[in-house]
Amino acid sequence: MKMPVGAAEVVLAPGQVSFATRPTRLRTLLGSCVAITFWHPQRLIGGMCHFMLPGRLRHDLPLDGRYGDEALELLLRHALINGTQVQDYQIKLFGGGRMFPDQPRDLRTQDVASLNIRAALDLAERYHLHLTAQDMGSTGHRTIMFDLWNGNVWVRHQPMGTLQHDAYQKNQRSAGR
């Protein structure tokens, strides 16, 4: 988890998208929101978005990172601007924790976390992204640290009603759950 000398650190707030072409650590805190990480293993460049909602009805406005479909579009544009192919990126998905697990749900209504998870998986399938890992669902929040110099994504997940874990765990979960 040690940063190389001169590496930058960027903290993403909800709705932000960041893409870097030099050694950078991208961090964010997720509840029901979802983060998508993009990493190019040969060029050691990539980015992350922190989206809050799957999408919006109006598409005549400028792209907005608060929405999953638009945040992904921003990441895709960064990949192309940097002369890379989207297929060459490793993609990981995180978040979608239910923050109010005791709230009743029925078949007609779903919580935002579930909608965000479904949107992230649908986007990955629609764009034929190379999904290498995911850690989504459950309850509570996740702290994410993504190191562009090696592609590692560190996750600290605190489910509702549990004590905080002492150490970050490197995300190595299979994308094929």
Side-chain angles (χ1 to χ4, degrees), residues 22-163:
R22 65 185 192 100
T24 303
R25 173 173 286 161
L26 301 172
R27 303 173 70 115
T28 198
L29 175 66
L30 303 166
S32 59
C33 297
V34 167
I36 302 173
T37 64
F38 260 54
W39 185 62
H40 195 289
Q42 287 76 37
R43 300 261 313 268
L44 305 182
I45 64 173
M48 180 166 64
C49 69
H50 176 152
F51 74 83
M52 302 162 61
L53 297 167
R56 60 180 166 171
L57 297 177
R58 290 190 60 188
H59 293 286
D60 58 336
L61 300 171
L63 292 176
D64 188 332
R66 293 179 293 178
Y67 305 99
D69 55 347
E70 297 179 44
L72 178 60
E73 180 64 31
L74 289 166
L75 284 171
L76 296 173
R77 288 181 181 187
H78 281 292
L80 294 174
I81 288 169
N82 282 282
T84 57
Q85 299 296 314
V86 174
Q87 305 88 315
D88 295 334
Y89 284 80
Q90 294 179 5
I91 313 300
K92 298 179 183 179
L93 307 174
F94 303 96
R98 290 188 65 217
M99 300 308 293
F100 306 101
D102 296 332
Q103 184 177 20
R105 294 190 304 173
D106 63 37
L107 295 175
R108 293 173 289 128
T109 61
Q110 289 190 320
D111 60 289
V112 173
S114 296
L115 295 172
N116 283 340
I117 290 170
R118 184 178 319 132
L121 293 170
D122 288 348
L123 288 166
E125 185 175 335
R126 181 182 325 148
Y127 288 94
H128 307 287
L129 301 177
H130 180 60
L131 192 59
T132 60
Q134 62 178 316
D135 184 24
M136 297 190 295
S138 186
T139 63
H141 67 273
R142 289 170 174 83
T143 302
I144 308 297
M145 291 190 328
F146 173 31
D147 296 335
L148 288 178
W149 56 87
N150 60 17
N152 288 338
V153 177
W154 301 87
V155 178
R156 180 182 289 169
H157 180 200
Q158 184 174 355
M160 301 294 270
T162 63
L163 297 175

